Amino acid sequence: MTTLVHDAISTTEKLAATAPAAATEVNSITTTATAVATAATAPAKPQPQPRSFRPLLLKVLPPLFGIALMLLIWSIIAVKDSSFPSPWVTLQEAIKVFSDPFYQNGPNDQGIGWNIYASLKRVAVGFGLAAIVGIPLGFLIGRFPFLSGMFNPVISLLKPVSPLAWLPIGLLVFKSAHPAAIWSIFICSIWPMVINTAIGVQRVPQDYMNVARVLNLSEWKIVTRILLPSVLPYMLTGVRLAIGTAWLVIVAAEMLTGGVGIGFWVWDEWNNLNVPHIIIAIIVIGLVGLILEQILVAAARAFTYEDTGA
């Protein structure tokens, strides 16, 4: 009996000695399992994506291919016709022309820089006058049906008239080439602003006008608070179209009126049979027109917004 008691005590002491170790092992297993479960449920860290140049290539390559195609066709024409300058010859002449673009050897012998400056001044005056008259007139035509019915036939009749047809009228009335050229710019660039502004006013939601009547707003507040913000995208589109028309008209007008200007410079170089300079002028005219249009496109983006439907 004594032996059994001693064996039981010994077994109890061994179990008591091994219990802390077993508990420690259980805690370790539990901690490991918890860490594994946490790692399994935690969101995976985003892997860095390889940088793709595809969007950049799709944006850059098409214009480069277009320019390369134009130069190829130009070179083929130059090979077929010896009187037509090649791109390389034109580039050499362009370097000479732009090495001193602001020289002055007389009233009719000035650098291309002065000619561009003179043309831009005429465009600014004619285009500015067209905007001052055309935009308010467009608001009135769009706002009042009576004025719309009165001016629509006149606009439809005069809008398709060529700018060169207006030039003799300007010479007859103003007796001078400079105001006649400005008149041609004015009368040809006013129509896009009038038409687009009037369309914008007519497309203002009728609910806006009903709210204005309920609030008993004055005509000035209707124009400034309701019409102008709604019409602005249409108005800027008309302005963008008008500046292209104005730049187109001044080149044609200056060819006939003479004096200083990029159009006169083209005609003078043709009289001198300087074909490379004519091609240089064509490229310059295109670049200036592109710059003017992009400036107005940037202004349109700054003053308009897109409805995301949110």
Side-chain angles (χ1 to χ4, degrees):
M1 184 65 179
T2 304
T3 304
L4 292 174
V5 172
H6 282 293
D7 291 340
I9 293 172
S10 177
T11 301
T12 302
E13 290 177 352
K14 289 180 180 181
L15 291 174
T18 57
T24 303
E25 185 175 354
V26 170
N27 290 335
S28 176
I29 293 173
T30 304
T31 303
T32 304
T34 303
V36 171
T38 303
T41 58
K45 293 183 178 180
Q47 297 294 328
Q49 298 293 332
R51 188 174 182 180
S52 176
F53 293 95
R54 181 180 176 83
L56 179 62
L57 293 177
L58 291 177
K59 187 176 181 180
V60 173
L61 286 181
L64 293 180
F65 280 120
I67 294 173
L69 178 61
M70 184 186 69
L71 293 176
L72 178 61
I73 296 173
W74 183 357
S75 302
I76 292 173
I77 295 174
V79 170
K80 298 290 185 180
D81 188 355
S82 59
S83 63
F84 199 85
S86 65
W88 176 248
V89 172
T90 305
L91 177 61
Q92 290 178 324
E93 288 295 323
I95 293 173
K96 295 178 183 178
V97 168
F98 288 102
S99 62
D100 188 12
F102 292 100
Y103 75 87
Q104 285 184 325
N105 293 332
N108 293 328
D109 186 12
Q110 301 184 23
I112 190 172
W114 291 117
N115 287 277
I116 296 173
Y117 176 67
S119 296
L120 287 175
K121 282 200 303 183
R122 293 189 183 100
V123 168
V125 175
F127 176 78
L129 291 174
I132 291 173
V133 176
I135 292 176
L137 182 60
F139 269 98
L140 293 174
I141 292 174
R143 184 77 177 91
F144 301 105
F146 178 81
L147 294 179
S148 176
M150 184 175 70
F151 279 100
N152 279 341
V154 178
I155 295 174
S156 300
L157 178 66
L158 299 181
K159 183 171 67 71
V161 177
S162 169
L164 297 181
W166 292 108
L167 188 60
I169 303 299
L171 292 171
L172 177 66
V173 173
F174 299 106
K175 313 297 183 184
S176 177
H178 179 67
I182 295 175
W183 154 256
S184 299
I185 296 170
F186 167 82
I187 198 64
C188 292
S189 60
I190 191 174
W191 308 125
M193 288 185 278
V194 172
I195 294 171
N196 281 272
T197 303
I199 291 175
V201 173
Q202 292 170 354
R203 291 186 178 180
V204 173
Q206 188 60 36
D207 293 341
Y208 295 176
M209 306 307 297
N210 295 336
V211 171
R213 292 192 187 96
V214 171
L215 297 177
N216 197 22
L217 297 180
S218 64
E219 190 65 29
W220 174 252
K221 286 188 176 181
I222 291 175
V223 171
T224 56
R225 301 291 180 87
I226 298 177
L227 295 182
L228 185 59
S230 301
V231 174
L232 193 58
Y234 296 90
M235 186 176 68
L236 290 176
T237 300
V239 170
R240 181 169 60 87
L241 295 174
I243 194 64
T245 303
W247 186 241
L248 176 68
V249 169
I250 191 59
V251 174
E254 288 173 347
M255 285 186 176
L256 299 179
T257 58
V260 181
I262 190 64
F264 169 74
W265 195 77
V266 172
W267 192 250
D268 188 54
E269 296 302 328
W270 165 248
N271 291 330
N272 296 328
L273 297 179
N274 196 338
V275 182
H277 284 193
I278 296 175
I279 297 177
I280 293 170
I282 291 172
I283 296 174
V284 168
I285 292 168
L287 288 175
V288 173
L290 178 63
I291 292 171
L292 293 176
E293 183 177 2
Q294 291 302 313
I295 290 173
L296 292 175
V297 168
R301 290 175 179 172
F303 288 99
T304 56
Y305 67 93
E306 293 183 359
D307 188 3
T308 59

